[in-house]
Amino acid sequence: MNLTLWIAAGLLAVVALVGGVSKTFVPRERLAAAHGGGWTGDVGDGFVRTLGILELLAAAGLVLPAVTGIAPVLVPVTAGAWVLLMAGAMITHGRRGERAFVVLNLVYLALALVVAVGRFGPGSF
């Protein structure tokens, strides 16, 4: 169980890191031109960067508290926040008719739910 939760949290951290770096540092116009990034053309730069920073914080929050042993309860809290973020992403992509991204976000949501429930419950630190 512990290994499964570590793998799930690690995968989510990589996804959050990649998404966070791109949303924080890549110009919005370039993101809007990318496959699945059309939604960024409908919102402001500040919103996209804020999401990017939240994703960078999520990447850290999914792994660092457990690795350092400092406030490991932040891992399932972060995973719960990731569930909410992915629900918003699913709504956004669903409204745009991007079904493949809805499914992908659903997978991320399910992984985050596994981490949240597992780390709050039987696999807690």
Side-chain angles (χ1 to χ4, degrees), residues 1-105:
M1 178 72 153
N2 189 45
L3 180 61
T4 301
L5 293 172
W6 271 106
I7 291 170
L11 288 172
L12 287 174
V14 169
V15 168
L17 183 64
V18 170
V21 166
S22 66
K23 288 179 185 86
T24 303
F25 300 110
V26 175
R28 187 173 54 92
E29 295 78 24
R30 193 163 158 211
L31 288 174
H35 182 61
W39 66 271
T40 59
D42 300 336
V43 297
D45 287 337
F47 182 75
V48 175
R49 288 187 197 240
T50 299
L51 283 179
I53 291 167
L54 288 173
E55 288 183 7
L56 292 173
L57 290 172
L62 286 165
V63 176
L64 290 180
V67 169
T68 63
I70 300 171
V73 72
L74 290 178
V75 172
V77 170
T78 303
W82 188 259
V83 167
L84 297 175
L85 186 66
M86 289 302 100
M90 289 171 59
I91 291 167
T92 299
H93 287 294
R95 286 180 178 167
R96 296 181 57 80
E98 299 167 340
R99 304 289 181 234
F101 287 102
V102 171
V103 173
L104 182 62
N105 292 136

